[in-house]
Amino acid sequence: MRAKITIFTSKPTKKKTLSNTSYRNLLDEELFYRIAQRKDQDAMNMLYKRYAHLALGVGLKYLPHEDAKDIVQVVFVKIWTDAAQHKVKSFKPWLYTVVKNQCLMELRKTNHTVDLPDNGFDFMEYEDLSHHKMEQEQILRILESCLEKLQAPQKNCIELFYRGMKTYTEIAGLQQLSDKQVKTYLQNGRRNLKICFSQHKNTL
């Protein structure tokens, strides 16, 4: 999949209706509304800055790197052109679903199959909350602390899958495990991370 796509950036446009600080303080849903109602380029840039790398992380679960990058651009172009057609109450899970569905559509076009990741834990749910409740540094510290509490096989599989972008088969080879064992360690590790993170978040 290769396409010529408009790439959104975090650079401000010349015509502004809000200050940079004001845009940073807006909720995702408020930014989306400004795109839908006003075609606000600065709001679009802010959403792209917040979520492009997280959307890419979702895409990489299904597609090679270059194809995943293309999918991210396709999705953000659709947000720009079609936002007025959607009522989005919670932007992050909506974006996750849109990116995932776009990836699956691409796979169907090429007659590929893929092992779908389970919903036990997703870093997209927690990574970029600095503009809502917590500073990103706090989130990273919590995640690192929770990772250290995992059993070694769970921790190794989680890090190789999410940070190393390895497939089940690659992890199995590196860790001398079966694909089934890798899947089990990932499922249990994600579940334990989600529990641990939720416990920390509730105390803030």
Side-chain angles (χ1 to χ4, degrees):
M1 173 186 177
R2 301 303 303 164
K4 294 289 185 180
I5 301 169
T6 301
I7 298 178
F8 295 99
T9 71
S10 58
K11 294 180 180 179
T13 56
K14 292 181 179 179
K15 184 178 180 181
K16 297 184 67 64
T17 54
L18 292 174
S19 68
N20 285 334
T21 300
S22 296
Y23 277 101
R24 285 197 296 270
N25 291 335
L26 289 178
L27 297 175
D28 300 332
E29 295 73 26
E30 292 171 324
L31 292 170
F32 189 90
Y33 178 83
R34 294 182 71 89
I35 296 165
Q37 298 299 316
R38 308 179 189 181
K39 288 295 181 184
D40 189 327
Q41 178 72 61
D42 294 294
M44 184 73 235
N45 290 340
M46 185 59 67
L47 272 185
Y48 186 84
K49 182 179 180 181
R50 287 179 185 177
Y51 287 108
H53 68 292
L54 297 176
L56 178 61
V58 176
L60 287 170
K61 294 180 181 180
Y62 303 93
L63 300 169
H65 189 268
E66 289 302 316
D67 288 347
K69 285 172 62 178
D70 287 346
I71 288 294
V72 172
Q73 296 303 320
V74 167
V75 167
F76 276 94
V77 168
K78 285 186 175 182
I79 289 173
W80 177 252
T81 58
D82 301 340
Q85 301 176 23
H86 302 280
K87 292 183 178 180
V88 177
K89 294 182 179 180
S90 184
F91 179 77
K92 186 178 292 186
W94 178 83
L95 177 64
Y96 177 91
T97 300
V98 171
V99 175
K100 181 180 74 171
N101 289 343
Q102 194 70 37
C103 289
L104 295 178
M105 286 174 58
E106 182 63 24
L107 287 169
R108 283 194 289 270
K109 287 180 186 177
T110 55
N111 295 318
H112 280 91
T113 58
V114 64
D115 289 330
L116 299 182
D118 63 80
N119 294 323
F121 181 85
D122 199 304
F123 281 91
M124 189 172 178
E125 186 177 353
Y126 300 113
E127 269 191 6
D128 197 28
L129 300 176
S130 57
H131 55 286
H132 288 307
K133 296 181 180 179
M134 294 181 285
E135 293 296 331
Q136 191 166 1
E137 290 79 5
Q138 288 178 284
I139 296 169
L140 292 175
R141 283 198 297 270
I142 291 172
L143 283 174
E144 290 297 335
S145 175
C146 290
L147 275 170
E148 291 301 320
K149 295 177 182 178
L150 294 179
Q151 296 176 5
Q154 293 178 8
K155 177 185 175 184
N156 293 339
C157 288
I158 287 284
E159 290 186 327
L160 286 168
F161 186 74
Y162 284 102
R163 292 176 172 173
M165 298 299 177
K166 302 295 185 184
T167 65
Y168 284 11
T169 301
E170 289 172 332
I171 296 171
L174 290 169
Q175 297 295 304
Q176 297 183 335
L177 301 168
S178 68
D179 285 5
K180 184 176 181 180
Q181 285 176 309
V182 171
K183 184 175 182 179
T184 299
Y185 284 133
L186 282 171
Q187 289 175 338
N188 292 338
R190 284 189 286 247
R191 183 176 63 250
N192 291 333
L193 278 176
K194 188 170 185 177
I195 292 170
C196 177
F197 191 94
S198 296
Q199 290 172 343
H200 280 279
K201 189 169 67 170
N202 291 338
T203 63
L204 295 174

